[in-house]
Coordinates of all heavy atoms in Angstrom, one line a residue:
M242 N -12.1 10.3 -9.8 CA -11.7 8.9 -9.7 C -12.6 8.1 -10.8 O -13.8 8.3 -10.7 CB -12.0 8.3 -8.3 CG -11.8 6.9 -8.2 SD -12.3 6.2 -6.6 CE -10.9 6.2 -5.7
T243 N -12.0 7.4 -11.6 CA -12.8 6.5 -12.5 C -13.2 5.3 -11.9 O -12.7 4.9 -10.8 CB -11.9 6.3 -13.7 OG1 -10.8 5.5 -13.4 CG2 -11.5 7.5 -14.5
R244 N -14.2 4.7 -12.5 CA -14.7 3.4 -11.9 C -13.7 2.4 -11.9 O -13.7 1.5 -11.0 CB -15.9 3.0 -12.8 CG -17.2 3.8 -12.6 CD -18.2 3.2 -13.4 NE -18.4 1.8 -13.1 CZ -19.5 1.3 -12.6 NH1 -20.6 2.0 -12.4 NH2 -19.6 0.0 -12.4
N245 N -12.7 2.3 -12.8 CA -11.7 1.3 -12.9 C -10.7 1.4 -11.8 O -9.8 0.5 -11.6 CB -11.0 1.4 -14.3 CG -10.3 0.1 -14.5 OD1 -10.7 -1.0 -14.0 ND2 -9.3 0.1 -15.4
D246 N -10.7 2.5 -11.0 CA -9.7 2.6 -9.9 C -9.9 1.8 -8.8 O -9.2 1.6 -7.9 CB -9.7 4.2 -9.5 CG -9.0 5.0 -10.5 OD1 -8.3 4.5 -11.3 OD2 -9.2 6.2 -10.3
K247 N -11.2 1.1 -8.7 CA -11.4 0.3 -7.5 C -10.8 -1.0 -7.6 O -10.5 -1.8 -6.6 CB -12.9 0.1 -7.4 CG -13.7 1.2 -6.8 CD -15.1 0.8 -6.3 CE -16.0 0.6 -7.5 NZ -17.4 0.2 -7.1
S248 N -10.6 -1.5 -8.9 CA -10.0 -2.9 -9.1 C -8.8 -3.2 -8.4 O -8.6 -4.2 -7.7 CB -9.9 -3.2 -10.5 OG -11.2 -3.3 -11.1
P249 N -7.8 -2.3 -8.5 CA -6.5 -2.6 -7.8 C -6.7 -2.7 -6.3 O -6.0 -3.6 -5.6 CB -5.6 -1.5 -8.1 CG -6.2 -0.8 -9.4 CD -7.7 -1.1 -9.3
H250 N -7.5 -1.8 -5.6 CA -7.7 -1.9 -4.3 C -8.5 -3.2 -3.9 O -8.2 -3.8 -2.8 CB -8.6 -0.7 -3.8 CG -7.9 0.6 -4.1 ND1 -6.7 1.0 -3.5 CD2 -8.2 1.5 -5.0 CE1 -6.4 2.1 -4.0 NE2 -7.2 2.5 -4.9
I251 N -9.5 -3.6 -4.7 CA -10.2 -4.8 -4.4 C -9.2 -6.0 -4.5 O -9.2 -7.0 -3.6 CB -11.3 -5.0 -5.4 CG1 -12.4 -4.0 -5.2 CG2 -12.0 -6.4 -5.2 CD1 -13.5 -4.0 -6.3
L252 N -8.3 -6.0 -5.5 CA -7.4 -7.1 -5.7 C -6.4 -7.2 -4.5 O -6.1 -8.3 -4.0 CB -6.6 -6.9 -7.0 CG -5.6 -8.0 -7.3 CD1 -6.2 -9.4 -7.4 CD2 -4.9 -7.6 -8.6
N253 N -5.9 -6.0 -4.1 CA -5.1 -6.0 -2.9 C -5.6 -6.6 -1.7 O -5.0 -7.4 -1.0 CB -4.5 -4.5 -2.8 CG -3.4 -4.5 -1.7 OD1 -2.6 -5.5 -1.5 ND2 -3.3 -3.3 -1.1
A254 N -6.8 -6.0 -1.3 CA -7.4 -6.3 -0.1 C -7.9 -7.8 -0.1 O -7.8 -8.6 0.9 CB -8.5 -5.5 0.2
A255 N -8.5 -8.3 -1.2 CA -9.1 -9.7 -1.3 C -7.9 -10.7 -1.2 O -8.0 -11.7 -0.6 CB -9.9 -9.8 -2.7
S256 N -6.7 -10.4 -1.9 CA -5.7 -11.3 -1.8 C -5.0 -11.4 -0.4 O -4.6 -12.6 0.0 CB -4.5 -10.9 -2.8 OG -4.0 -9.7 -2.6
N257 N -5.1 -10.3 0.3 CA -4.6 -10.3 1.7 C -5.5 -11.2 2.5 O -5.0 -11.9 3.4 CB -4.4 -8.9 2.3 CG -3.1 -8.1 1.7 OD1 -2.2 -8.8 1.3 ND2 -3.3 -6.9 1.6
L258 N -6.8 -11.0 2.3 CA -7.8 -11.7 3.2 C -7.8 -13.1 2.7 O -8.1 -14.0 3.5 CB -9.2 -11.1 3.1 CG -9.2 -9.7 3.8 CD1 -10.6 -9.0 3.5 CD2 -9.1 -9.9 5.4
L259 N -7.5 -13.5 1.4 CA -7.4 -14.8 1.0 C -6.3 -15.5 1.8 O -6.5 -16.7 2.2 CB -7.2 -14.8 -0.6 CG -7.1 -16.2 -1.2 CD1 -8.5 -16.9 -1.2 CD2 -6.7 -15.9 -2.7
G260 N -5.2 -14.9 1.8 CA -4.0 -15.5 2.6 C -4.5 -15.6 4.0 O -4.1 -16.8 4.7
L261 N -5.2 -14.8 4.7 CA -5.6 -14.9 6.0 C -6.6 -16.2 6.2 O -6.4 -17.0 7.2 CB -6.4 -13.7 6.6 CG -6.9 -13.8 7.9 CD1 -5.9 -13.7 9.0 CD2 -8.0 -12.7 8.1
C262 N -7.4 -16.4 5.2 CA -8.3 -17.5 5.2 C -7.6 -18.8 5.2 O -7.8 -19.8 5.8 CB -9.3 -17.4 4.0 SG -10.6 -16.2 4.2
F263 N -6.4 -18.8 4.3 CA -5.7 -20.0 4.3 C -5.0 -20.4 5.6 O -4.9 -21.5 6.0 CB -4.6 -19.9 3.2 CG -5.1 -20.3 1.8 CD1 -5.1 -19.3 0.8 CD2 -5.7 -21.5 1.5 CE1 -5.6 -19.7 -0.5 CE2 -6.2 -21.9 0.3 CZ -6.2 -20.9 -0.8
V264 N -4.6 -19.3 6.3 CA -3.8 -19.5 7.6 C -4.8 -19.9 8.6 O -4.5 -20.9 9.3 CB -3.2 -18.1 8.0 CG1 -2.8 -18.1 9.4 CG2 -2.0 -17.8 7.2
V265 N -6.0 -19.5 8.7 CA -7.1 -19.8 9.6 C -7.4 -21.3 9.3 O -7.6 -22.0 10.2 CB -8.3 -18.9 9.5 CG1 -9.5 -19.5 10.4 CG2 -7.9 -17.5 10.2
L266 N -7.7 -21.6 8.0 CA -8.1 -22.9 7.7 C -7.0 -24.0 8.0 O -7.3 -25.0 8.6 CB -8.4 -23.0 6.2 CG -9.2 -24.2 5.7 CD1 -10.6 -24.4 6.4 CD2 -9.3 -24.1 4.2
T267 N -5.8 -23.7 7.8 CA -4.7 -24.5 8.1 C -4.5 -24.7 9.6 O -4.3 -25.9 10.1 CB -3.4 -24.0 7.5 OG1 -3.5 -23.9 6.1 CG2 -2.2 -24.9 7.8
S268 N -4.7 -23.6 10.4 CA -4.6 -23.7 11.8 C -5.8 -24.5 12.4 O -5.5 -25.3 13.3 CB -4.8 -22.3 12.4 OG -3.7 -21.4 12.0
L269 N -6.9 -24.5 11.8 CA -8.0 -25.3 12.3 C -7.7 -26.7 12.1 O -8.0 -27.6 12.9 CB -9.4 -24.8 11.7 CG -9.9 -23.5 12.1 CD1 -11.1 -23.1 11.2 CD2 -10.3 -23.6 13.6
K270 N -7.3 -27.1 10.9 CA -6.9 -28.5 10.6 C -5.7 -29.0 11.5 O -5.9 -30.1 12.0 CB -6.5 -28.7 9.1 CG -7.6 -28.3 8.1 CD -8.7 -29.2 8.2 CE -9.8 -28.9 7.2 NZ -11.0 -29.6 7.2
F271 N -4.7 -28.1 11.7 CA -3.7 -28.5 12.5 C -4.0 -28.8 14.0 O -3.5 -29.7 14.6 CB -2.6 -27.4 12.5 CG -1.3 -27.8 13.3 CD1 -0.4 -28.7 12.8 CD2 -1.1 -27.1 14.4 CE1 0.7 -29.1 13.5 CE2 0.1 -27.3 15.1 CZ 0.9 -28.3 14.7
L272 N -5.0 -27.9 14.6 CA -5.4 -28.0 15.9 C -6.5 -29.1 16.1 O -7.1 -29.2 17.2 CB -5.8 -26.6 16.3 CG -4.7 -25.6 16.5 CD1 -5.3 -24.2 17.0 CD2 -3.7 -26.0 17.5
K273 N -7.0 -29.6 14.9 CA -8.1 -30.6 14.9 C -9.3 -30.1 15.5 O -10.1 -30.7 16.2 CB -7.7 -31.8 15.7 CG -6.5 -32.6 15.0 CD -6.1 -33.8 15.7 CE -5.0 -34.7 15.1 NZ -4.0 -34.0 14.6
L274 N -9.7 -28.7 15.1 CA -10.8 -28.2 15.6 C -12.0 -28.1 14.5 O -13.1 -27.7 14.7 CB -10.6 -26.6 16.0 CG -9.7 -26.4 17.2 CD1 -9.4 -25.0 17.4 CD2 -10.5 -27.1 18.4
S275 N -11.6 -28.5 13.3 CA -12.6 -28.5 12.2 C -13.7 -29.6 12.3 O -14.7 -29.3 11.7 CB -11.8 -28.7 10.9 OG -11.1 -30.0 10.8
E276 N -13.5 -30.6 13.1 CA -14.5 -31.7 13.2 C -15.6 -31.2 14.1 O -16.7 -31.7 14.1 CB -13.9 -33.0 13.7 CG -13.0 -33.6 12.7 CD -11.6 -33.1 12.8 OE1 -11.2 -32.6 13.9 OE2 -10.8 -33.3 11.9
R277 N -15.4 -30.3 15.1 CA -16.3 -29.9 16.1 C -17.0 -28.6 15.8 O -17.9 -28.2 16.6 CB -15.5 -29.9 17.4 CG -15.0 -31.2 17.8 CD -14.3 -31.0 19.1 NE -13.1 -30.3 18.9 CZ -12.1 -30.1 19.9 NH1 -12.3 -30.4 21.0 NH2 -11.1 -29.3 19.5
T278 N -16.6 -27.9 14.8 CA -17.3 -26.6 14.6 C -17.6 -26.3 13.1 O -17.2 -27.1 12.3 CB -16.3 -25.4 15.0 OG1 -15.2 -25.4 14.1 CG2 -15.9 -25.5 16.5
Y279 N -18.3 -25.3 12.9 CA -18.6 -24.9 11.6 C -17.7 -23.8 11.0 O -17.9 -23.2 9.9 CB -20.1 -24.4 11.4 CG -21.1 -25.5 11.6 CD1 -21.9 -25.5 12.8 CD2 -21.3 -26.5 10.7 CE1 -22.7 -26.5 13.1 CE2 -22.3 -27.4 10.9 CZ -23.0 -27.4 12.1 OH -23.9 -28.4 12.3
I280 N -16.6 -23.5 11.8 CA -15.8 -22.4 11.5 C -15.1 -22.7 10.1 O -14.9 -21.8 9.3 CB -14.8 -22.1 12.6 CG1 -15.6 -21.7 13.8 CG2 -13.8 -21.2 12.2 CD1 -14.7 -21.6 15.1
D281 N -14.6 -24.0 10.0 CA -13.9 -24.2 8.7 C -14.8 -24.0 7.5 O -14.3 -23.8 6.4 CB -13.2 -25.5 8.7 CG -14.1 -26.7 9.0 OD1 -15.2 -26.5 9.6 OD2 -13.9 -27.9 8.5
E282 N -16.0 -24.5 7.6 CA -16.9 -24.3 6.5 C -17.1 -22.8 6.1 O -17.1 -22.4 4.9 CB -18.3 -24.9 6.7 CG -18.3 -26.4 6.6 CD -17.9 -27.1 7.9 OE1 -17.6 -26.5 8.9 OE2 -18.0 -28.3 8.0
T283 N -17.3 -21.9 7.2 CA -17.5 -20.5 6.8 C -16.2 -19.9 6.2 O -16.3 -19.0 5.4 CB -17.9 -19.7 8.1 OG1 -17.0 -19.9 9.1 CG2 -19.3 -20.2 8.6
V284 N -15.0 -20.4 6.7 CA -13.8 -19.8 6.3 C -13.6 -20.2 4.7 O -13.2 -19.6 3.9 CB -12.6 -20.2 7.1 CG1 -11.2 -20.0 6.4 CG2 -12.6 -19.6 8.5
T285 N -14.0 -21.5 4.5 CA -14.0 -21.9 3.1 C -14.8 -21.1 2.2 O -14.4 -20.9 1.0 CB -14.4 -23.4 3.1 OG1 -13.5 -24.1 3.9 CG2 -14.1 -24.0 1.6
I286 N -16.0 -20.8 2.7 CA -16.9 -19.9 1.8 C -16.3 -18.6 1.6 O -16.3 -18.1 0.5 CB -18.3 -19.8 2.5 CG1 -19.0 -21.1 2.5 CG2 -19.2 -18.8 1.8 CD1 -20.2 -21.2 3.5
A287 N -15.7 -18.0 2.6 CA -15.1 -16.7 2.5 C -13.9 -16.8 1.5 O -13.6 -16.0 0.6 CB -14.6 -16.1 3.8
L288 N -13.2 -17.9 1.6 CA -12.0 -18.1 0.7 C -12.5 -18.2 -0.8 O -11.9 -17.5 -1.6 CB -11.4 -19.5 1.1 CG -9.9 -19.9 0.5 CD1 -9.2 -20.5 1.5 CD2 -10.2 -20.8 -0.7
V289 N -13.6 -18.8 -1.0 CA -14.1 -18.9 -2.4 C -14.5 -17.5 -2.9 O -14.3 -17.0 -4.0 CB -15.2 -19.9 -2.5 CG1 -16.0 -19.7 -3.9 CG2 -14.7 -21.3 -2.3
F290 N -15.1 -16.7 -2.0 CA -15.6 -15.3 -2.4 C -14.3 -14.5 -2.7 O -14.4 -13.7 -3.7 CB -16.4 -14.7 -1.2 CG -17.9 -15.2 -1.2 CD1 -18.4 -16.2 -1.9 CD2 -18.7 -14.5 -0.3 CE1 -19.7 -16.6 -1.8 CE2 -20.0 -14.8 -0.2 CZ -20.5 -15.9 -0.9
F291 N -13.4 -14.5 -1.9 CA -12.2 -13.7 -2.1 C -11.4 -14.2 -3.4 O -10.9 -13.3 -4.0 CB -11.3 -13.8 -0.8 CG -11.8 -13.0 0.4 CD1 -11.8 -13.6 1.6 CD2 -12.3 -11.7 0.1 CE1 -12.3 -12.9 2.7 CE2 -12.9 -11.1 1.2 CZ -12.8 -11.7 2.5
M292 N -11.4 -15.4 -3.5 CA -10.7 -16.0 -4.8 C -11.4 -15.5 -6.1 O -10.8 -15.0 -6.9 CB -10.6 -17.5 -4.9 CG -9.9 -18.1 -6.0 SD -8.2 -17.6 -6.2 CE -7.5 -18.6 -5.0
L293 N -12.8 -15.6 -6.1 CA -13.5 -15.0 -7.2 C -13.4 -13.5 -7.4 O -13.2 -13.1 -8.5 CB -15.0 -15.4 -7.1 CG -15.3 -16.9 -7.2 CD1 -16.7 -17.2 -6.9 CD2 -14.9 -17.4 -8.6
S294 N -13.3 -12.8 -6.2 CA -13.1 -11.4 -6.3 C -11.8 -11.0 -6.8 O -11.6 -10.1 -7.7 CB -13.3 -10.8 -4.9 OG -13.2 -9.5 -4.9
C295 N -10.7 -11.8 -6.5 CA -9.4 -11.6 -7.0 C -9.3 -11.8 -8.6 O -8.8 -11.0 -9.3 CB -8.4 -12.5 -6.4 SG -7.9 -12.0 -4.7
I296 N -10.0 -12.8 -8.9 CA -10.0 -13.2 -10.4 C -10.6 -12.1 -11.2 O -10.1 -11.6 -12.2 CB -10.6 -14.5 -10.6 CG1 -9.7 -15.6 -10.2 CG2 -10.9 -14.7 -12.1 CD1 -10.3 -17.0 -10.1
L297 N -11.8 -11.7 -10.8 CA -12.6 -10.7 -11.5 C -11.9 -9.4 -11.5 O -11.9 -8.6 -12.5 CB -14.0 -10.6 -11.0 CG -15.0 -11.8 -11.3 CD1 -16.2 -11.7 -10.6 CD2 -15.1 -12.0 -12.8
S298 N -11.4 -8.9 -10.3 CA -10.7 -7.7 -10.3 C -9.5 -7.6 -11.2 O -9.2 -6.6 -11.8 CB -10.4 -7.2 -8.9 OG -9.6 -8.1 -8.2
F299 N -8.7 -8.7 -11.2 CA -7.5 -8.8 -12.0 C -7.9 -8.7 -13.5 O -7.3 -8.0 -14.2 CB -6.8 -10.2 -11.8 CG -5.6 -10.4 -12.7 CD1 -4.5 -9.7 -12.5 CD2 -5.7 -11.3 -13.7 CE1 -3.4 -9.9 -13.3 CE2 -4.7 -11.4 -14.6 CZ -3.4 -10.7 -14.3
L300 N -8.9 -9.4 -14.0 CA -9.4 -9.4 -15.3 C -9.9 -7.9 -15.6 O -9.7 -7.5 -16.7 CB -10.5 -10.4 -15.5 CG -10.0 -11.8 -15.6 CD1 -11.2 -12.8 -15.7 CD2 -9.0 -12.1 -16.6
S301 N -10.5 -7.2 -14.7 CA -10.9 -5.9 -15.0 C -9.7 -4.9 -15.2 O -9.8 -4.1 -16.0 CB -11.9 -5.5 -13.7 OG -12.2 -4.1 -14.0
I302 N -8.7 -5.2 -14.4 CA -7.4 -4.4 -14.5 C -6.8 -4.6 -15.8 O -6.4 -3.7 -16.5 CB -6.4 -4.7 -13.4 CG1 -7.0 -4.2 -12.1 CG2 -5.1 -4.1 -13.7 CD1 -6.2 -4.6 -10.7
R303 N -6.7 -5.9 -16.2 CA -6.0 -6.3 -17.5 C -6.8 -5.7 -18.6 O -6.2 -5.6 -19.7 CB -5.9 -7.7 -17.5 CG -5.0 -8.5 -16.6 CD -3.6 -8.5 -17.2 NE -3.7 -9.0 -18.4 CZ -2.6 -9.5 -19.1 NH1 -1.5 -9.3 -18.5 NH2 -2.7 -10.1 -20.3
G304 N -8.1 -5.5 -18.5 CA -8.8 -5.0 -19.7 C -9.4 -6.0 -20.6 O -9.9 -5.8 -21.6
N305 N -9.1 -7.4 -20.2 CA -9.7 -8.5 -21.0 C -11.2 -8.5 -20.9 O -11.9 -9.0 -21.9 CB -9.2 -9.7 -20.5 CG -7.7 -9.9 -20.7 OD1 -7.1 -9.2 -21.4 ND2 -7.1 -10.9 -20.0
I306 N -11.8 -7.9 -19.9 CA -13.2 -7.7 -19.7 C -13.5 -6.3 -19.7 O -12.5 -5.5 -19.4 CB -13.8 -8.4 -18.5 CG1 -13.4 -9.8 -18.5 CG2 -15.2 -8.1 -18.3 CD1 -13.8 -10.6 -17.2
K307 N -14.6 -5.8 -20.1 CA -14.8 -4.2 -20.2 C -14.3 -3.6 -18.8 O -14.9 -3.9 -17.7 CB -16.3 -4.1 -20.4 CG -16.7 -2.6 -20.4 CD -18.1 -2.4 -20.5 CE -18.6 -1.0 -20.3 NZ -20.1 -0.9 -20.1
P308 N -13.4 -2.8 -18.9 CA -12.8 -2.1 -17.7 C -13.9 -1.3 -17.0 O -14.6 -0.5 -17.6 CB -11.7 -1.1 -18.2 CG -11.5 -1.6 -19.6 CD -12.7 -2.3 -20.1
G309 N -13.9 -1.4 -15.6 CA -14.9 -0.7 -14.8 C -16.3 -1.1 -15.0 O -17.2 -0.4 -14.6
G310 N -16.5 -2.2 -15.6 CA -17.9 -2.7 -15.9 C -18.4 -3.7 -14.9 O -18.1 -3.6 -13.7
R311 N -19.1 -4.7 -15.4 CA -19.8 -5.6 -14.6 C -18.9 -6.5 -13.8 O -19.2 -6.8 -12.6 CB -20.6 -6.5 -15.5 CG -21.6 -7.3 -14.7 CD -22.5 -8.1 -15.8 NE -23.6 -8.7 -15.0 CZ -24.5 -9.3 -15.6 NH1 -24.7 -9.3 -16.9 NH2 -25.5 -9.8 -14.9
S312 N -17.7 -6.8 -14.2 CA -16.8 -7.7 -13.5 C -16.3 -6.9 -12.2 O -16.1 -7.7 -11.2 CB -15.6 -8.1 -14.3 OG -14.9 -7.0 -14.8
E313 N -16.0 -5.7 -12.3 CA -15.5 -4.9 -11.2 C -16.6 -4.8 -10.2 O -16.4 -5.0 -9.0 CB -15.1 -3.5 -11.6 CG -14.5 -2.8 -10.5 CD -14.0 -1.4 -10.9 OE1 -14.8 -0.5 -11.2 OE2 -12.8 -1.3 -11.1
T314 N -17.9 -4.6 -10.6 CA -19.0 -4.5 -9.6 C -19.2 -5.9 -9.0 O -19.4 -6.0 -7.7 CB -20.3 -4.1 -10.4 OG1 -20.0 -2.9 -11.1 CG2 -21.5 -3.9 -9.5
V315 N -19.1 -7.0 -9.7 CA -19.3 -8.3 -9.2 C -18.2 -8.6 -8.2 O -18.4 -9.1 -7.0 CB -19.4 -9.5 -10.3 CG1 -19.5 -10.8 -9.7 CG2 -20.7 -9.2 -11.1
A316 N -16.9 -8.2 -8.5 CA -15.8 -8.4 -7.6 C -16.0 -7.7 -6.3 O -15.7 -8.2 -5.3 CB -14.5 -8.0 -8.3
D317 N -16.6 -6.5 -6.5 CA -16.8 -5.6 -5.2 C -17.8 -6.3 -4.4 O -17.6 -6.4 -3.1 CB -17.3 -4.2 -5.8 CG -17.2 -3.2 -4.7 OD1 -16.4 -3.4 -3.7 OD2 -17.8 -2.1 -4.9
Y318 N -18.9 -6.8 -4.9 CA -19.9 -7.5 -4.2 C -19.5 -8.8 -3.5 O -19.8 -9.1 -2.4 CB -21.2 -7.7 -4.9 CG -22.0 -6.5 -5.1 CD1 -22.3 -6.0 -6.4 CD2 -22.5 -5.7 -4.1 CE1 -23.1 -4.8 -6.6 CE2 -23.2 -4.5 -4.2 CZ -23.5 -4.1 -5.5 OH -24.2 -3.0 -5.7
L319 N -18.7 -9.5 -4.3 CA -18.0 -10.7 -3.8 C -17.1 -10.4 -2.6 O -17.0 -11.2 -1.6 CB -17.3 -11.5 -4.8 CG -18.1 -12.3 -5.8 CD1 -17.3 -12.8 -7.0 CD2 -18.8 -13.5 -5.2
F320 N -16.4 -9.4 -2.7 CA -15.5 -8.9 -1.7 C -16.4 -8.6 -0.4 O -16.0 -9.0 0.7 CB -14.7 -7.8 -2.0 CG -13.7 -7.2 -0.9 CD1 -12.6 -7.9 -0.6 CD2 -14.0 -6.1 -0.3 CE1 -11.8 -7.5 0.3 CE2 -13.2 -5.7 0.7 CZ -12.1 -6.3 1.1
L321 N -17.4 -7.9 -0.5 CA -18.3 -7.6 0.6 C -18.9 -8.8 1.2 O -19.0 -8.9 2.4 CB -19.4 -6.6 0.1 CG -20.4 -6.2 1.2 CD1 -19.7 -5.5 2.3 CD2 -21.5 -5.4 0.6
G322 N -19.3 -9.8 0.4 CA -19.8 -11.0 0.8 C -18.7 -11.8 1.7 O -19.0 -12.4 2.7
G323 N -17.5 -11.7 1.2 CA -16.5 -12.5 1.9 C -16.2 -11.8 3.3 O -16.0 -12.4 4.2
M324 N -16.3 -10.4 3.3 CA -16.1 -9.8 4.5 C -17.2 -10.1 5.5 O -16.9 -10.3 6.7 CB -16.1 -8.3 4.3 CG -14.8 -7.8 3.5 SD -13.4 -7.6 4.6 CE -13.9 -6.2 5.7
I325 N -18.4 -10.2 5.1 CA -19.5 -10.5 5.9 C -19.4 -12.0 6.4 O -19.6 -12.3 7.7 CB -20.9 -10.4 5.2 CG1 -21.2 -8.9 5.0 CG2 -22.0 -11.0 6.0 CD1 -22.3 -8.6 4.0
V326 N -18.9 -12.8 5.7 CA -18.8 -14.3 6.1 C -17.7 -14.3 7.1 O -17.7 -15.0 8.1 CB -18.5 -15.2 4.9 CG1 -18.0 -16.6 5.4 CG2 -19.6 -15.3 3.9
L327 N -16.5 -13.5 6.9 CA -15.5 -13.5 7.8 C -15.9 -12.9 9.2 O -15.6 -13.3 10.2 CB -14.3 -12.7 7.4 CG -13.3 -13.4 6.5 CD1 -12.1 -12.5 6.2 CD2 -12.7 -14.7 7.2
F328 N -16.9 -11.9 9.1 CA -17.5 -11.4 10.4 C -18.3 -12.5 11.1 O -18.1 -12.6 12.3 CB -18.4 -10.2 10.0 CG -19.1 -9.7 11.2 CD1 -18.5 -9.0 12.2 CD2 -20.4 -9.9 11.4 CE1 -19.1 -8.4 13.3 CE2 -21.1 -9.4 12.5 CZ -20.5 -8.7 13.4
V329 N -19.1 -13.3 10.4 CA -19.8 -14.3 11.0 C -18.8 -15.4 11.7 O -19.0 -15.9 12.7 CB -20.7 -15.1 9.9 CG1 -21.4 -16.3 10.5 CG2 -21.8 -14.1 9.6
T330 N -17.7 -15.6 10.9 CA -16.8 -16.6 11.4 C -16.1 -16.1 12.7 O -15.8 -16.8 13.6 CB -15.6 -16.7 10.4 OG1 -16.2 -17.2 9.2 CG2 -14.5 -17.8 10.8
A331 N -15.8 -14.8 12.7 CA -15.3 -14.2 14.0 C -16.2 -14.4 15.2 O -15.8 -14.7 16.2 CB -14.9 -12.8 13.8
I332 N -17.5 -14.1 14.9 CA -18.6 -14.4 15.9 C -18.5 -15.8 16.4 O -18.6 -16.2 17.6 CB -19.9 -13.9 15.5 CG1 -19.9 -12.4 15.1 CG2 -21.0 -14.2 16.5 CD1 -19.7 -11.5 16.3
L333 N -18.5 -16.8 15.4 CA -18.5 -18.1 15.8 C -17.2 -18.5 16.6 O -17.3 -19.2 17.6 CB -18.4 -19.0 14.6 CG -19.7 -19.1 13.8 CD1 -19.6 -19.9 12.5 CD2 -20.9 -19.7 14.5
I334 N -16.1 -18.0 16.3 CA -14.9 -18.2 17.1 C -15.0 -17.6 18.5 O -14.7 -18.2 19.5 CB -13.6 -17.6 16.3 CG1 -13.3 -18.4 15.1 CG2 -12.4 -17.6 17.3 CD1 -12.3 -17.8 14.2
L335 N -15.6 -16.4 18.6 CA -15.8 -15.8 19.8 C -16.7 -16.6 20.7 O -16.4 -16.9 22.0 CB -16.4 -14.4 19.6 CG -16.6 -13.6 20.8 CD1 -15.4 -13.2 21.6 CD2 -17.5 -12.3 20.6
F336 N -17.8 -17.1 20.2 CA -18.7 -18.0 20.9 C -18.1 -19.2 21.4 O -18.3 -19.9 22.4 CB -20.0 -18.2 20.2 CG -21.0 -17.0 20.3 CD1 -21.6 -16.6 19.1 CD2 -21.1 -16.4 21.5 CE1 -22.4 -15.5 19.1 CE2 -22.1 -15.3 21.5 CZ -22.6 -14.8 20.3
K337 N -17.2 -19.9 20.5 CA -16.5 -21.0 20.7 C -15.5 -20.9 21.9 O -15.4 -21.7 22.8 CB -15.7 -21.6 19.5 CG -15.0 -22.8 19.7 CD -15.9 -24.0 19.8 CE -15.2 -25.2 20.0 NZ -16.0 -26.4 20.4
I338 N -14.9 -19.7 22.0 CA -14.0 -19.5 23.0 C -14.7 -19.2 24.3 O -14.2 -19.6 25.5 CB -13.0 -18.3 22.7 CG1 -12.1 -18.6 21.5 CG2 -12.2 -17.8 23.8 CD1 -11.3 -17.5 21.0
M339 N -15.8 -18.5 24.3 CA -16.5 -18.2 25.5 C -17.2 -19.3 26.1 O -17.5 -19.3 27.3 CB -17.5 -17.0 25.2 CG -16.9 -15.7 24.9 SD -18.0 -14.4 24.4 CE -18.7 -14.1 26.0
V340 N -17.7 -20.3 25.4 CA -18.5 -21.4 25.8 C -17.6 -22.6 26.1 O -16.7 -22.9 25.7 CB -19.6 -21.8 24.8 CG1 -20.4 -23.0 25.2 CG2 -20.5 -20.6 24.5

């Protein structure tokens, strides 16, 4: 497996989670829960991480930037950061429901 083989997987997963973030953010605004919690802020942070990850992995696939290089690594770390932020968001939602 070459290093450039990660970019399509990062792009696919990050774009799916980006869509999930948009659904969650829209749901929070629709239910008027965004004024009382920090959940919308954490989802927005995850959304930015996933968007940047999508852009960098796409550029890595296209070869406009050195394939399998720094952009792919940064996209990988941004994806991981977005996953961690979504985990924190899930914990916040869980505590909001329980309390």
